[in-house]
Amino acid sequence: DKTVSLRKDLSEMHEWITQAEEEYLERDFEYKTPEELQKAVEELKRAKEEAIQKEVKVKLITDSVNNFIAKAPPAAHEALKKELDVLITNYQRLCSRLNGKCKTLEEVWACWGELLSYLDAENKWLNEMELKLKATENIQGGAEEISESLDSLERLMRHPEDNRNQIRELAQTLTDGGILDELINEKLEKFNTRWEELQQEAVRRQKSLEQSIQSAQEIDKTLRLIQQSLAVIDKQLTAYIADRVDAAQVPQEAQ
């Protein structure tokens, strides 16, 4: 009869809700790889869409139960009305929980993408730093040329800490939730080691270039003094020659 048919529809929906809860909400999930995380996001999106589509069936069941209740005596519909109320409550709760978890996982996936983006940006800067350090390894030239290389290196060294702070915070957010923790720790250890090594090498190179500039400036100063001295001597000798002065008649240094 109609009551049996309605109870069957209610029971099927209850079963589907219970299965969806067990499948997507009650299990403990571990995301150790980006592929696992991405798959979980996609599965939860599908589950959310499926739950939304079930709204049509819940409405049909609701209409059928209400139509039946309107015609049946009170004694016949009290239990049925209670079952319908439980179904609607459970269905709405399932949709809410699926929406919440889906939003959370989408935010986690976005957080992972953001972390990769910041790591990529910082690694590009480290590549620049590495190339700059190689270019200044055996630099030749005078004080001005060395000074230009030092300025260029120091501009790179003034790179802001913002990205590195973001990397630290994003990684902490993910690993606190046990998400991709091994992979993230591995990436961070590699990045931080490289960052520290290049920073230390940059500081050493900075001091070395400063010393090279000082040495070059001292050499330049010495050469200028020698040139000035030679110019004075050249002037004196030119004057002696013009006056036909014999070498024996001039100071020893001029001889």
Side-chain angles (χ1 to χ4, degrees), residues 99-113:
N99 285 338
K101 185 162 185 179
C102 192
K103 184 181 178 184
T104 298
L105 272 191
E106 284 175 330
E107 288 173 354
V108 166
W109 179 249
C111 187
W112 165 247

Side-chain angles (χ1 to χ4, degrees), residues 34-94:
E35 293 75 21
E36 288 176 354
L37 178 58
Q38 187 177 25
K39 183 181 176 184
V41 172
E42 290 169 356
E43 283 182 351
L44 212 53
K45 279 183 179 178
R46 285 195 295 270
K48 187 176 80 168
E49 289 301 317
E50 189 179 352
I52 291 169
Q53 290 167 9
K54 290 288 184 183
E55 185 178 1
V56 175
K57 181 151 189 194
V58 172
K59 190 174 185 308
L60 284 172
I61 293 172
T62 302
D63 290 344
S64 297
V65 170
N66 286 335
N67 287 335
F68 175 77
I69 288 172
K71 297 171 186 176
H77 62 63
E78 187 177 341
L80 205 59
K81 181 72 170 70
K82 188 174 181 181
E83 283 186 49
L84 177 63
D85 290 343
V86 171
L87 173 68
I88 292 171
T89 300
N90 289 347
Y91 172 72
Q92 290 174 344
R93 186 185 65 181
L94 174 68

Side-chain angles (χ1 to χ4, degrees), residues 51-245:
I52 291 169
Q53 290 167 9
K54 290 288 184 183
E55 185 178 1
V56 175
K57 181 151 189 194
V58 172
K59 190 174 185 308
L60 284 172
I61 293 172
T62 302
D63 290 344
S64 297
V65 170
N66 286 335
N67 287 335
F68 175 77
I69 288 172
K71 297 171 186 176
H77 62 63
E78 187 177 341
L80 205 59
K81 181 72 170 70
K82 188 174 181 181
E83 283 186 49
L84 177 63
D85 290 343
V86 171
L87 173 68
I88 292 171
T89 300
N90 289 347
Y91 172 72
Q92 290 174 344
R93 186 185 65 181
L94 174 68
C95 288
S96 176
R97 290 179 70 192
L98 283 174
N99 285 338
K101 185 162 185 179
C102 192
K103 184 181 178 184
T104 298
L105 272 191
E106 284 175 330
E107 288 173 354
V108 166
W109 179 249
C111 187
W112 165 247
E114 202 176 354
L115 174 62
L116 290 182
S117 176
Y118 279 115
L119 278 171
D120 183 58
E122 284 303 279
N123 277 314
K124 282 179 181 175
W125 169 69
L126 289 175
N127 290 341
E128 284 184 58
M129 179 68 81
E130 202 166 34
L131 289 171
K132 179 61 66 178
L133 290 172
K134 284 180 181 176
T136 59
E137 196 167 358
N138 293 305
I139 190 167
Q140 303 295 324
E144 187 175 345
E145 186 179 347
I146 300 171
S147 182
E148 286 176 3
S149 293
L150 176 60
D151 289 344
S152 179
L153 176 62
E154 287 178 338
R155 278 195 298 273
L156 267 180
M157 290 172 70
R158 286 194 290 271
H159 182 71
E161 287 271 333
D162 297 359
N163 284 1
R164 198 175 179 215
N165 291 335
Q166 284 292 331
I167 287 170
R168 194 180 297 112
E169 288 174 14
L170 289 166
Q172 191 71 48
T173 299
L174 289 167
T175 54
D176 280 351
I179 297 166
L180 306 175
D181 48 356
E182 291 178 9
L183 178 62
I184 289 171
N185 288 334
E186 181 184 327
K187 281 183 175 290
L188 251 63
E189 185 177 354
K190 184 178 178 182
F191 166 72
N192 286 327
T193 299
R194 188 181 180 215
W195 194 92
E196 293 291 347
E197 286 175 353
L198 286 175
Q199 279 293 100
Q200 289 171 10
E201 178 58 31
V203 171
R204 284 195 293 270
R205 190 61 48 81
Q206 182 186 29
K207 290 178 180 177
S208 173
L209 289 172
E210 287 170 350
Q211 290 171 354
S212 296
I213 290 170
Q214 189 176 356
S215 298
Q217 287 172 338
E218 289 173 358
I219 290 170
D220 287 346
K221 183 180 177 182
T222 302
L223 286 173
R224 281 198 304 273
L225 290 173
I226 291 172
Q227 285 170 343
Q228 289 169 2
S229 178
L230 287 173
V232 170
I233 292 171
D234 183 62
K235 188 177 179 181
Q236 287 177 343
L237 290 176
T238 301
Y240 290 153
I241 291 169
D243 294 340
R244 298 180 179 278
V245 176

